[in-house]
Amino acid sequence: MPSWAPAIGLTILPHVGGIAGGLITRQEVKTWYTTLVKPSWRPPNWMFGPVWTTLYTSMGYGSYLIYKELGGLNENAVVPLGLYASQLALNWAWTPIFFGAHKIGWGLVDLLLLCGAAAATTISWYPISRPAAYLMLPYLAWLTLASALNYRIWRDNKDKSE
């Protein structure tokens, strides 16, 4: 395998779920989502694409730094990359839960688990590669905002969650 392949592959990997989620979101943002009561402080819809592109690229590159530092997928990589995989799976699951199934409360549960998994990932990465851990910080901040937004939408729309 060429030496650049893991860097490209691991940086792109998070986008796979983002693209799949975008297919669900694109339709629901124009229909179901417009019927929900949302707080005035929510980011505008156009902001989500650029933000998630940046966050997915950052976390993906961070995972490559961990992979490289630990010498690939080996025994030492099980915990830091396993935690990363678990938070990525939770991240990818949120869109089908919230937008696809209209399960606002379960979306919040997923997000809270995601916050914990992303924080654990960041903590596990810190002793291995500080730059990789630092690349997770904007993601953690955005997840905090997303959790607050999901909570408010759940609280204010309990009658609209199917």
Side-chain angles (χ1 to χ4, degrees):
M1 168 174 18
S3 61
W4 51 264
I8 300 296
L10 290 170
T11 301
I12 291 173
L13 177 64
H15 294 277
V16 172
I19 292 167
L23 298 174
I24 296 169
T25 304
R26 184 172 304 151
Q27 179 60 36
E28 296 298 325
V29 158
K30 297 174 189 170
T31 56
W32 172 74
Y33 191 67
T34 63
T35 69
L36 300 177
V37 176
K38 295 172 281 300
S40 62
W41 48 263
R42 75 172 172 84
N45 290 343
W46 64 263
M47 185 180 280
F48 287 86
V51 167
W52 277 112
T53 299
T54 302
L55 296 174
Y56 281 144
T57 301
S58 295
M59 77 170 79
Y61 187 70
S63 74
Y64 165 70
L65 294 175
I66 297 301
Y67 171 91
K68 183 179 84 168
E69 190 65 32
L70 295 176
L73 296 175
N74 56 46
E75 190 174 298
N76 295 329
V78 170
V79 170
L81 292 180
L83 286 169
Y84 173 70
S86 69
Q87 72 82 31
L88 195 55
L90 287 164
N91 179 297
W92 290 349
W94 182 85
T95 299
I97 293 168
F98 184 92
F99 279 106
H102 303 170
K103 300 292 185 185
I104 301 169
W106 284 111
L108 180 59
V109 170
D110 178 83
L111 257 177
L112 296 175
L113 292 170
L114 171 54
C115 287
T121 299
T122 304
I123 291 165
S124 76
W125 285 9
Y126 187 79
I128 300 163
S129 169
R130 286 184 182 178
Y134 294 151
L135 285 169
M136 292 290 283
L137 296 180
Y139 178 50
L140 291 171
W142 186 259
L143 289 177
T144 302
L145 173 69
S147 297
L149 179 58
N150 194 148
Y151 169 74
R152 279 291 302 273
I153 292 173
W154 171 74
R155 186 192 76 181
D156 296 343
N157 295 277
K158 287 184 182 177
D159 60 323
K160 294 181 183 168
S161 186
E162 296 174 8

